Amino acid sequence: MEDYLERRKQLIHEDRARRVDAPGARTLSEDEVHADEIVRRIRAEEAISVWAVNSGSVFDYDPAKTTPNVFPGMEFLTARETIIKTRLFEIISKMPKGGLLHAHLDATVNARHLLKLALEQPVMHVSVSSALTSDNIGDVLPKFKPVPKENVSDVGSLSDLSYHPGDWIPFRAARDNFSESLGGPEGFDKWVINALMINPIEAYQTHNTTQKIWAKFTSVFTVSTNLIRFSPIWTEYIREFFLSSIEDGISYSEARINFWYRYMVGPNGEENIDHRGFVMIFGRVLNEVKEEMKRQGREDEFIGSKIIYCTLRFISPEELEWYCEDCLALKQEFPHLIAGFDLVGHEDSLRPLIDYIVPLMRFVERQKELGLDIPFIFHAGETLGDGTAADMNLYDAILLGTKRIGHGFSLVKHPKLMEICREKGIPVEVCPISNEILRLTSSMPMHPLPILMNQGVRVALCSDDPAIFGNMGLSFDYYQVLVASEVSGLTTMGEIARDSIRFARLDAEEKERALALFEKRWAKFLQDVIRDYAQ
Amino acid sequence: MEDYLERRKQLIHEDRARRVDAPGARTLSEDEVHADEIVRRIRAEEAISVWAVNSGSVFDYDPAKTTPNVFPGMEFLTARETIIKTRLFEIISKMPKGGLLHAHLDATVNARHLLKLALEQPVMHVSVSSALTSDNIGDVLPKFKPVPKENVSDVGSLSDLSYHPGDWIPFRAARDNFSESLGGPEGFDKWVINALMINPIEAYQTHNTTQKIWAKFTSVFTVSTNLIRFSPIWTEYIREFFLSSIEDGISYSEARINFWYRYMVGPNGEENIDHRGFVMIFGRVLNEVKEEMKRQGREDEFIGSKIIYCTLRFISPEELEWYCEDCLALKQEFPHLIAGFDLVGHEDSLRPLIDYIVPLMRFVERQKELGLDIPFIFHAGETLGDGTAADMNLYDAILLGTKRIGHGFSLVKHPKLMEICREKGIPVEVCPISNEILRLTSSMPMHPLPILMNQGVRVALCSDDPAIFGNMGLSFDYYQVLVASEVSGLTTMGEIARDSIRFARLDAEEKERALALFEKRWAKFLQDVIRDYAQ
């Protein structure tokens, strides 16, 4: 039996040898071991006290009698209110997270905060395609426009019988005058928020397939873009992204910005702020936040932020050439801000990377000509398909030399590609909650993350579109990953956080500083966990 | 670009080099290529015409207004009625399947057929714990007993107000007299069937977690066992298992029989038929069916069937010793029928293999002493756990020398174990529909099967418990796998079917004959596909 147990231990070690937290790979400090034990104990306790409670026999989202089937790593949208009450979440919230490497800038700020920013802009207006009633309020979406030049309504409410569809009402007035029968101003907020987020009924019932939920997902961007691409809001939106990230322990980020829109709207209502303007605002707010952190003596909590230039996967290869040139010009002017290039949008339904090989290879050549370095950081394999065009994007992303893979959900099906990722150090930006809400996985225990980790493919945990999913910061994603595994522990989360810095598009010096600052915070965090949670 | 496409093709080939249908691994016949193309075309057509239809906006299982979200490989229990109408299913139904290597005998016969068998036994009785009403009929389960010696009811209906709970009513009378207000005899059938199968509301709503659905699953066995473990029914049940398997193109099977019950009930109501009796009945029916097939000139369609001896994972290690000795004795008496040994039951909640190492190693020694060969064919890793005891069962199954792995759902997380399976030729008995209904995966596109296949781990598709899931035969499982991949085609299905013979517990000569017969049927099948489905 002793011999058997020894062989068993050996086999387990070999099986886990490629993990970032491989047994015996490095000697753990006493604090690391202790804090890891504490977290495992609390996780085990809460698996019973929080996640094993008996639920009713009928699955029903009526808030008055919601009794979903609960378990650790269950559907985020129904679990969220429970998660935030747990001790484990309390711990994870305080954990330094390193970098956030995959987030779409225009979906990074809490929808309620965006609403607040919009209400602060007297020139923001709203319209609907038909006067709101209790019957249609679930289907009619708000449309926004700053400083409309015509069709400004002379009625003050979107639910007024005399409201002329399409006419513009000042946003604040529309809220103040929102019909009591539709819930008054609070009903107005609820209506707007519902258009800006995915709710559990959509994710888990009516739109419970990747294809359907993407329809809702796309609709959110259509609604929010006219709020966000208004430079006074955009400015404050970026600031809030930085500040709220810092509060969650994120010290660095690489924001994917969608440059498909060639202009955004300026303060006077003219759509005349070009891509240079986008980046200049980003850079200005970045500096202001750095200054502010310094003033507070917290400069070590914020390394900075960069931009991954994105356009959408539905453009023609010819149109892509324009965007590549545009990106080159921005890189020349803002070399410290432009960190990479990507194509975004629903891979299952839009054009595959193979359609763009010629302009993308040309883009690489042009970089050489100009002495620039704008690495590809492609979305690829964000799909359930096996051998579909979206799945095949992984081959092209890797052949094109992508430095990281966005999502790579289907990468686990590809042994050779995983080998390449492991050997070349191409990490995957894994977005656990996004994958679940967009129905690639039904819950965290079904998520393929452990497969990647055990294959030695490095990962960074990312939030993707937290404004739409409600997974603000990175704490929720770390939490969901941590409760769904008994192999991973707090030490594993620390290694993943370190990888989010190691694989960031920072130069060697920046990276060294970022890692040193991380270690300092991590050591302090471990001490806090031991102080506050040891029995 | 040409160079790029060449490198791309090369990379794809390398990535798929370990698949059973690896590109270029063998030269395909003209018929194979043609039939494969036909099937891919029909699959693509039906992906649109059948599986992309727009469904309503509310997910609702009310049969009057069922509008589930449909897609290829969707939840089987809501897809079944649609599947059987497709041309692709028509083709797959006619496909020779090779062997069925993973099925629990007492869940292999259509529940309606079991009901019919029970109604043919005048001595079969039924009781309930409380008289049936429209309020409790969804919760009260039927209990069966052949030839009860006491508490025989003098009322004729389970819903009679004067019915005394626990009293026995003849089964046929209980059906004939079933209250009209509960649906009469059809309502009775529906009530019994509901206790013998998992329905979509349970799988996808009320019991939508592995843990909860296992409660229903276990309840089914508790109900059905008293029908099946009555030797006159058991005899006809086995016959129907063989005959219906043959009709689905299955030419061989290895049935897992649960020997945890030491006796079954004989015709006179005495519980006195021992394990020798179990096996003798199995062997007798086997011979009768072989004779019958010969009479029909169809002997080539049925190679035979063997037994995998099983007991349950909740017994003590000491109790296991008794079962091991019992299995040895049966193997000595029926060497051609006993093909392997397994431990069954819900891995997440019952005892892990590690608890049984000592008696299992002793079992191996005893086989050597007696000159017997009863290979382990263990269930292992039928779990969503990562590093849980059920997941760890995989290490023990492999260290103990298992010849195949039952389910191995979590094997994809274990690179070293997949390597061992690949190198030692340990295949996985993959049960796609079972995994989905037992909530390890939400649908076929989420199933890890392509990961195993691409890693070069060989698989056999299996139905597990078709009586409970409604996936009779193997056609449904092959269908669900085929529609969820664009890599796999008809050729792939053929290779998997061949593997189900290659990895069967047949001796060399039997295997050679089985493979030769398969090839003959396969060639004929390809011709039929080309004749009937080419445009």
Side-chain angles (χ1 to χ4, degrees):
Chain A
M1 190 68 189
E2 239 175 75
D3 167 62
Y4 180 87
L5 291 176
E6 185 52 40
R7 283 191 296 137
R8 187 178 196 265
K9 188 178 154 196
Q10 189 55 39
L11 184 60
I12 296 169
H13 276 210
E14 279 180 58
D15 199 36
R16 297 180 181 168
R18 288 168 170 167
R19 286 175 61 94
V20 68
D21 60 357
R26 68 178 178 87
T27 311
L28 303 179
S29 73
E30 216 171 285
D31 279 358
E32 277 179 297
V33 173
H34 192 182
D36 193 89
E37 281 168 3
I38 290 169
V39 163
R40 285 176 189 268
R41 171 179 51 77
I42 292 173
R43 177 173 66 188
E45 284 167 5
E46 292 186 337
I48 307 290
S49 64
V50 176
W51 300 113
V53 296
N54 229 342
S55 74
S57 68
V58 175
F59 193 51
D60 188 336
Y61 282 110
D62 181 329
K65 42 176 179 164
T66 296
T67 51
N69 300 304
V70 305
F71 55 92
M74 66 179 276
E75 298 84 348
F76 176 68
L77 296 177
T78 32
R80 194 180 186 285
E81 293 310 303
T82 306
I83 290 172
I84 58 179
K85 290 178 205 145
T86 64
R87 298 177 78 204
L88 191 62
F89 184 73
E90 191 177 79
I91 294 173
I92 294 300
S93 301
K94 295 173 188 162
M95 185 185 117
K97 311 291 192 307
L100 168 57
L101 301 186
H102 187 118
H104 298 271
L105 182 65
D106 46 358
T108 53
V109 166
N110 192 307
R112 290 209 167 265
H113 192 87
L114 174 57
L115 185 61
K116 180 172 158 286
L117 293 179
L119 288 168
E120 286 166 2
Q121 299 293 331
V123 297
M124 184 57 72
H125 287 63
V126 61
S127 80
V128 284
S129 57
S130 122
L132 290 175
T133 66
S134 57
D135 282 343
N136 72 11
I137 194 166
D139 298 316
V140 176
L141 297 172
K143 208 173 154 184
F144 301 104
K145 190 180 180 71
V147 206
K149 304 290 194 254
E150 50 195 9
N151 300 331
V152 177
S153 182
D154 50 9
V155 300
S157 169
L158 293 170
S159 56
D160 196 298
L161 283 175
S162 62
Y163 171 76
H164 183 263
D167 279 3
W168 299 103
I169 297 181
F171 192 53
R172 180 165 278 288
R175 180 179 190 272
D176 290 345
N177 303 333
F178 206 60
S179 163
E180 280 306 318
S181 68
L182 298 175
E186 278 178 30
F188 178 87
D189 293 351
K190 205 174 146 189
W191 169 64
V192 175
I193 297 284
N194 193 49
L196 295 174
M197 296 184 77
I198 293 174
N199 69 48
I201 293 173
E202 292 161 343
Y204 308 139
Q205 294 185 48
T206 58
H207 294 57
N208 184 18
T209 69
T210 51
Q211 196 189 342
K212 288 191 174 185
I213 199 67
W214 264 88
K216 164 74 191 203
F217 190 59
T218 306
S219 140
V220 167
F221 284 106
T222 310
V223 171
S224 67
T225 195
N226 292 316
L227 289 176
I228 299 171
R229 282 173 199 286
F230 175 48
S231 67
I233 291 183
W234 164 262
T235 307
E236 296 313 309
Y237 192 94
I238 295 172
R239 190 184 317 278
E240 176 64 14
F241 166 54
F242 293 151
L243 292 173
S244 60
S245 296
I246 294 167
E247 292 314 313
D248 195 54
I250 296 165
S251 55
Y252 171 76
S253 56
E254 289 177 12
R256 276 168 165 87
I257 296 185
N258 178 4
F259 287 92
W260 178 73
Y261 294 92
R262 298 207 182 176
Y263 300 95
M264 78 168 71
V265 178
N268 58 0
E270 299 299 327
E271 197 171 357
N272 62 5
I273 297 185
D274 64 7
H275 288 174
R276 279 188 74 239
F278 288 30
V279 180
M280 285 171 73
I281 295 172
F282 185 94
R284 195 179 73 227
V285 177
L286 177 60
N287 286 333
E288 287 168 5
V289 171
K290 279 189 171 178
E291 282 305 312
E292 175 58 29
M293 292 304 288
K294 206 166 178 179
R295 246 192 316 277
Q296 296 181 21
R298 296 169 65 195
E299 63 266 45
D300 288 356
E301 292 179 41
F302 188 49
I303 308 298
S305 184
K306 299 193 179 194
I307 294 167
I308 297 174
Y309 184 105
C310 299
T311 184
L312 292 165
R313 302 185 113 101
F314 55 63
I315 61 174
S316 70
E318 295 70 36
E319 286 173 301
L320 179 55
E321 287 173 27
W322 184 90
Y323 287 101
C324 289
E325 286 300 319
D326 182 52
C327 181
L328 291 166
L330 291 175
K331 179 71 183 179
Q332 284 182 308
E333 188 168 357
F334 309 100
H336 55 298
L337 288 179
I338 304 294
F341 185 90
D342 190 10
L343 290 163
V344 302
H346 188 204
E347 286 182 71
D348 283 329
S349 59
L350 302 179
R351 299 182 77 141
L353 281 177
I354 186 85
D355 282 8
Y356 299 114
I357 299 299
V358 173
L360 290 173
M361 287 175 108
R362 174 85 190 116
F363 183 50
V364 174
E365 278 167 39
R366 289 281 291 140
Q367 290 179 48
K368 281 183 199 154
E369 286 167 24
L370 299 170
L372 299 173
D373 178 27
I374 314 173
F376 293 132
I377 306 179
F378 283 129
H379 276 70
E382 186 186 6
T383 183
L384 286 172
D386 184 40
T388 58
D391 181 31
M392 304 294 276
N393 276 341
L394 285 166
Y395 295 111
D396 295 298
I398 285 174
L399 284 169
L400 288 164
T402 196
K403 293 289 179 193
R404 302 196 300 256
I405 297 174
H407 289 290
F409 191 88
S410 71
L411 181 65
V412 291
K413 292 177 185 164
H414 301 282
K416 182 68 190 174
L417 301 185
M418 285 195 288
E419 183 189 315
I420 293 171
C421 288
R422 183 169 63 237
E423 288 175 2
K424 291 198 176 172
I426 303 170
V428 179
E429 300 160 356
V430 174
C431 308
I433 291 172
S434 166
N435 295 158
E436 185 258 291
I437 293 175
L438 295 180
R439 308 280 76 200
L440 293 172
T441 185
S442 285
S443 64
M444 273 316 293
M446 284 186 202
H447 195 283
L449 174 62
I451 305 176
L452 285 181
M453 291 180 67
N454 291 349
Q455 288 282 352
V457 176
R458 307 295 274 266
V459 300
L461 296 186
C462 309
S463 56
D464 204 11
D465 305 278
I468 303 174
F469 308 137
N471 56 330
M472 307 315 301
L474 279 172
S475 294
F476 290 106
D477 286 282
Y478 271 95
Y479 180 90
Q480 287 289 75
V481 165
L482 186 57
V483 292
S485 170
E486 297 199 7
V487 180
S488 293
L490 189 63
T491 308
T492 322
M493 301 302 109
E495 291 296 347
I496 292 175
R498 282 180 190 94
D499 272 356
S500 71
I501 298 170
R502 290 185 192 119
F503 294 103
R505 300 306 304 168
L506 292 164
D507 65 33
E509 199 179 323
E510 288 172 320
K511 209 173 276 188
E512 199 181 333
R513 176 169 170 259
L515 280 168
L517 290 175
F518 177 84
E519 293 305 339
K520 213 171 114 185
R521 292 183 74 180
W522 185 257
K524 166 80 165 55
F525 165 67
L526 294 177
Q527 284 165 10
D528 290 350
V529 170
I530 294 165
R531 184 194 62 213
D532 297 338
Y533 299 93
Q535 267 172 330
Chain B
M1 188 67 188
E2 241 175 76
D3 167 62
Y4 180 86
L5 291 176
E6 185 52 41
R7 282 193 294 138
R8 188 178 195 264
K9 191 180 151 195
Q10 189 54 40
L11 184 59
I12 295 169
H13 276 210
E14 279 180 60
D15 200 34
R16 297 180 182 169
R18 288 170 170 167
R19 286 175 62 92
V20 69
D21 61 357
R26 69 177 176 87
T27 311
L28 302 179
S29 74
E30 218 172 282
D31 279 358
E32 277 179 298
V33 172
H34 192 182
D36 193 90
E37 281 167 4
I38 290 169
V39 163
R40 283 175 190 270
R41 173 179 49 78
I42 292 173
R43 177 173 66 187
E45 284 166 7
E46 292 186 338
I48 308 291
S49 65
V50 176
W51 299 113
V53 297
N54 229 342
S55 74
S57 67
V58 175
F59 192 50
D60 191 335
Y61 281 109
D62 181 328
K65 43 177 180 165
T66 296
T67 52
N69 300 303
V70 305
F71 56 91
M74 66 179 276
E75 297 85 347
F76 175 69
L77 296 177
T78 33
R80 194 180 187 286
E81 292 310 303
T82 307
I83 291 172
I84 57 178
K85 290 178 205 143
T86 65
R87 298 178 78 207
L88 192 62
F89 184 73
E90 193 177 76
I91 295 174
I92 294 301
S93 301
K94 296 172 187 163
M95 185 185 118
K97 311 293 193 305
L100 168 57
L101 301 186
H102 188 119
H104 297 272
L105 182 66
D106 47 357
T108 54
V109 167
N110 192 305
R112 287 206 171 268
H113 192 86
L114 174 58
L115 186 59
K116 182 174 156 283
L117 293 179
L119 287 168
E120 286 166 1
Q121 300 294 331
V123 298
M124 184 57 72
H125 287 64
V126 60
S127 78
V128 284
S129 59
S130 114
L132 291 176
T133 66
S134 57
D135 282 343
N136 72 11
I137 193 167
D139 297 317
V140 175
L141 297 172
K143 209 173 156 184
F144 300 105
K145 191 181 180 73
V147 205
K149 305 289 192 256
E150 50 196 9
N151 298 331
V152 177
S153 184
D154 50 9
V155 301
S157 167
L158 293 171
S159 56
D160 196 296
L161 284 173
S162 62
Y163 171 76
H164 183 264
D167 279 0
W168 299 102
I169 297 182
F171 192 51
R172 181 167 276 287
R175 182 180 188 270
D176 292 345
N177 302 333
F178 206 59
S179 163
E180 280 306 317
S181 68
L182 298 176
E186 278 178 31
F188 179 87
D189 293 352
K190 207 174 144 189
W191 170 63
V192 175
I193 298 285
N194 192 50
L196 295 175
M197 296 185 77
I198 293 174
N199 68 47
I201 294 173
E202 291 161 344
Y204 308 140
Q205 294 184 46
T206 57
H207 294 58
N208 184 16
T209 68
T210 50
Q211 196 189 341
K212 286 190 176 187
I213 199 67
W214 263 89
K216 164 74 192 200
F217 189 59
T218 306
S219 139
V220 167
F221 284 106
T222 310
V223 171
S224 66
T225 196
N226 292 316
L227 288 177
I228 298 171
R229 285 176 197 283
F230 175 46
S231 68
I233 291 184
W234 165 263
T235 306
E236 296 314 309
Y237 192 94
I238 294 172
R239 190 184 318 278
E240 175 65 14
F241 166 53
F242 292 152
L243 292 173
S244 61
S245 296
I246 293 167
E247 291 315 311
D248 195 55
I250 296 165
S251 55
Y252 171 77
S253 56
E254 289 177 13
R256 277 170 164 86
I257 296 184
N258 178 3
F259 287 92
W260 179 72
Y261 294 92
R262 298 207 182 176
Y263 299 95
M264 77 167 72
V265 178
N268 59 358
E270 299 300 326
E271 198 171 356
N272 61 6
I273 298 187
D274 65 6
H275 289 174
R276 279 188 74 239
F278 288 30
V279 179
M280 284 170 74
I281 295 173
F282 186 91
R284 196 180 71 227
V285 177
L286 178 60
N287 287 334
E288 286 168 7
V289 171
K290 278 189 172 178
E291 282 305 313
E292 174 59 27
M293 292 304 289
K294 206 167 179 177
R295 247 193 313 277
Q296 295 183 22
R298 297 169 65 195
E299 64 265 46
D300 288 356
E301 292 179 41
F302 189 49
I303 307 298
S305 185
K306 301 194 180 193
I307 294 167
I308 298 173
Y309 184 106
C310 300
T311 184
L312 292 165
R313 303 185 110 103
F314 54 64
I315 60 174
S316 70
E318 293 70 33
E319 286 171 301
L320 180 55
E321 287 174 30
W322 184 89
Y323 287 100
C324 289
E325 286 300 319
D326 182 51
C327 182
L328 290 166
L330 291 174
K331 179 72 181 174
Q332 284 181 307
E333 186 168 357
F334 309 99
H336 55 298
L337 288 180
I338 303 296
F341 184 92
D342 190 10
L343 290 163
V344 302
H346 188 205
E347 285 183 70
D348 283 331
S349 59
L350 302 180
R351 297 181 80 142
L353 282 177
I354 187 86
D355 282 9
Y356 299 115
I357 299 300
V358 173
L360 291 172
M361 287 175 109
R362 173 86 189 113
F363 183 49
V364 174
E365 278 168 40
R366 287 282 291 142
Q367 290 178 49
K368 280 183 202 156
E369 285 168 23
L370 300 171
L372 300 173
D373 178 26
I374 313 172
F376 293 132
I377 306 180
F378 284 130
H379 276 70
E382 186 186 6
T383 182
L384 286 172
D386 185 40
T388 58
D391 181 31
M392 303 296 275
N393 276 341
L394 286 166
Y395 294 110
D396 294 298
I398 285 175
L399 284 170
L400 288 165
T402 197
K403 292 292 177 192
R404 302 194 302 256
I405 296 173
H407 290 290
F409 191 87
S410 72
L411 182 64
V412 293
K413 291 177 185 163
H414 301 282
K416 182 67 190 172
L417 300 186
M418 285 194 288
E419 184 189 314
I420 293 172
C421 288
R422 183 169 62 239
E423 290 176 0
K424 293 200 176 171
I426 303 169
V428 179
E429 302 160 353
V430 175
C431 307
I433 291 173
S434 165
N435 296 157
E436 184 258 292
I437 293 175
L438 296 181
R439 308 282 72 201
L440 292 172
T441 185
S442 285
S443 65
M444 273 314 294
M446 284 186 202
H447 195 283
L449 174 61
I451 305 175
L452 285 182
M453 292 181 64
N454 292 349
Q455 288 282 352
V457 176
R458 307 297 273 269
V459 300
L461 296 186
C462 309
S463 56
D464 204 9
D465 304 279
I468 303 175
F469 308 138
N471 57 329
M472 306 316 300
L474 279 171
S475 293
F476 289 106
D477 286 283
Y478 271 95
Y479 180 91
Q480 287 289 74
V481 165
L482 186 58
V483 293
S485 170
E486 297 199 6
V487 180
S488 293
L490 189 62
T491 307
T492 321
M493 300 304 107
E495 291 295 349
I496 291 175
R498 282 181 190 93
D499 272 356
S500 70
I501 298 171
R502 288 186 193 118
F503 293 104
R505 300 306 302 166
L506 292 165
D507 65 33
E509 200 179 322
E510 290 173 317
K511 209 175 274 189
E512 201 180 329
R513 174 167 173 261
L515 280 168
L517 289 175
F518 177 83
E519 292 306 338
K520 214 171 113 185
R521 293 183 74 180
W522 185 256
K524 167 79 166 58
F525 166 67
L526 295 177
Q527 285 165 9
D528 290 350
V529 170
I530 294 165
R531 183 192 63 211
D532 298 339
Y533 299 92
Q535 268 173 328

